[in-house]
Amino acid sequence: MCDPPRCTDWEVLKHLVEWAYVVITNFPHGTRDKLHLGYDQVSSWNPRVAHVDITGFGDAGSDASRPGFDLTSYWSRGGLPASARDAGARPTVPGLGSGDYTSAVAIYGAIVTALYPRELTGEGTSVGTSLLATGVRATGTLVAGALATGTPFELHDRNAPVTALTNPYRTADGRWFMPATSSVHWPGLARAVERPELLEDPRFADVEGLVNNAAAVSEVLDAAFRSQPFAHWRDALDRERITFSLIQTPEKAAQDVQLRANDVVVPLEGVSDLKETVSSPIDLRGVPKVSAKRAPDLGKHNDEVPAERGFSPADIVRLRSPIPGVPEGEAA
């Protein structure tokens, strides 16, 4: 397969690309092209390949070659930490990797989009996204409002919210929950907290009144919800068909039975001290998912994959051996 003394890195890559349906890269553009991973290069080896890339800041502009992480490109540059906080609070570090997970779903959509025309025409294509694009998409309502020169909502203040009907509240047993309601649900909410007289209060008679007097509504609801434990309010709100959810810590979410009922948390094979993991968020109805397994050790398939592509045992030995005159760890 290879001429002595050994294959070059790009020749190995070429063989893998010729075999692949999809090539995914996450390098900045300059680095990607130096590694022979640009679309022009890989499509010359395999015209049917779907070339999928994700970058920090996109294909064009002064920052296109800059590296990015979800914390910088997705979160910070996209505007979420400045918006998803309470008034008076400083921006904070979000859940680690959460922007990566969201962007991975966008990449999944890009791959499916690329494979469809491939099946129709026999030709591959290049698709992709950026952490910046998916971050701005996640902040979409606020960014779109800014583009329309709208006046943004002030940062959330739970004591004087924009609407008291979507506001976190604490119960008598110290648990926080979040209703997500509107003025249509105000009568049911007043009944749930056993304050039907609020419906006769002229301050809360219509949408405008509920908005202009949101601080007063919040004060009333705060006092009511502090008077009983969460179990009481769960039943009361359910009776009135009020949409709400307990605000869970990650530790509580990990024990949520609803996650297991829907295979959001699934058994994990191959790890002695870890029995479960988080599954993919996408289900194909009627088709069981592949069982979750421990990720392979780095380099575990260094022999297996080249062998599948026709490299001889001697080729693989040469691939593993240092090149004379080149320090180990340096590119050839």
Side-chain angles (χ1 to χ4, degrees):
M1 174 68 74
C2 299
D3 295 328
R6 58 170 288 182
C7 296
T8 63
D9 291 341
W10 74 265
E11 286 176 321
V12 177
L13 176 63
K14 177 176 181 291
H15 286 296
L16 293 176
V17 169
E18 288 171 341
W19 162 72
Y21 279 55
V22 179
V23 172
I24 305 175
T25 79
N26 67 338
F27 295 105
H29 286 283
T31 304
R32 181 188 64 189
D33 295 334
K34 289 177 182 177
L35 294 173
H36 302 283
L37 285 169
Y39 178 62
D40 290 343
Q41 181 68 76
V42 300
S43 63
S44 71
W45 294 333
N46 181 356
R48 287 174 54 82
V49 78
H51 180 268
V52 185
D53 73 76
I54 182 167
T55 62
F57 298 99
D59 294 343
S62 60
D63 291 338
S65 62
R66 292 173 62 87
F69 295 99
D70 77 323
L71 186 60
T72 56
S73 305
Y74 179 98
W75 284 99
S76 300
R77 191 74 171 265
L80 278 167
S83 307
R85 59 189 175 102
D86 282 350
R90 297 177 180 177
T92 188
V93 177
L96 298 178
S98 51
D100 290 332
Y101 295 133
T102 304
S103 299
V105 175
I107 282 292
Y108 166 81
I111 292 171
V112 173
T113 302
L115 290 177
Y116 183 68
R118 177 187 189 274
E119 292 304 308
L120 290 179
T121 68
E123 294 293 323
T125 189
S126 182
V127 296
T129 188
S130 68
L131 291 170
L132 177 62
T134 54
V136 170
R137 184 72 175 178
T139 326
T141 301
L142 298 175
V143 176
L147 291 172
T149 66
T151 301
F153 289 133
E154 298 295 329
L155 292 175
H156 183 76
D157 181 347
R158 66 171 307 276
N159 295 314
V162 173
T163 170
L165 307 184
T166 300
N167 197 34
Y169 293 101
R170 195 174 190 181
T171 62
D173 51 351
R175 307 179 84 180
W176 289 88
F177 76 97
M178 179 78 76
T181 62
S182 67
S183 58
V184 174
H185 307 97
W186 171 237
L189 188 57
R191 291 191 297 267
V193 298
E194 299 179 358
R195 295 291 303 275
E197 73 278 7
L198 296 174
L199 301 178
E200 308 301 324
D201 192 318
R203 296 176 298 168
F204 315 139
D206 53 25
V207 174
E208 185 177 1
L210 288 168
V211 171
N212 292 337
N213 297 284
V217 178
S218 178
E219 185 177 358
V220 169
L221 294 179
D222 248 341
F225 289 129
R226 283 198 305 267
S227 69
Q228 296 286 349
F230 176 74
H232 171 89
W233 297 118
R234 180 182 55 211
D235 294 341
L237 295 171
D238 279 345
R239 282 196 300 271
E240 296 293 343
R241 300 186 64 80
I242 301 297
T243 303
F244 69 96
S245 179
L246 185 66
I247 298 174
Q248 298 195 125
T249 64
E251 292 77 14
K252 291 292 186 181
Q255 302 305 317
D256 194 324
V257 296
Q258 189 69 12
L259 273 62
R260 288 162 181 78
N262 289 277
D263 292 330
V264 177
V265 166
V266 294
L268 174 64
E269 299 177 9
V271 183
S272 60
D273 56 348
L274 183 62
K275 302 302 182 185
E276 295 176 305
T277 190
V278 177
S279 184
S280 160
I282 298 171
D283 291 317
L284 186 59
R285 308 291 189 210
V287 179
K289 292 182 180 178
V290 175
S291 299
K293 297 180 176 63
R294 180 188 183 278
D297 293 332
L298 185 63
K300 180 177 180 180
H301 300 112
N302 281 0
D303 291 346
E304 179 181 330
V305 173
E308 288 181 357
R309 291 300 307 138
F311 288 87
S312 70
D315 290 332
I316 295 171
V317 170
R318 283 194 293 268
L319 286 170
R320 286 184 173 275
S321 63
I323 301 175
V326 177
E328 191 169 355
E330 287 191 12

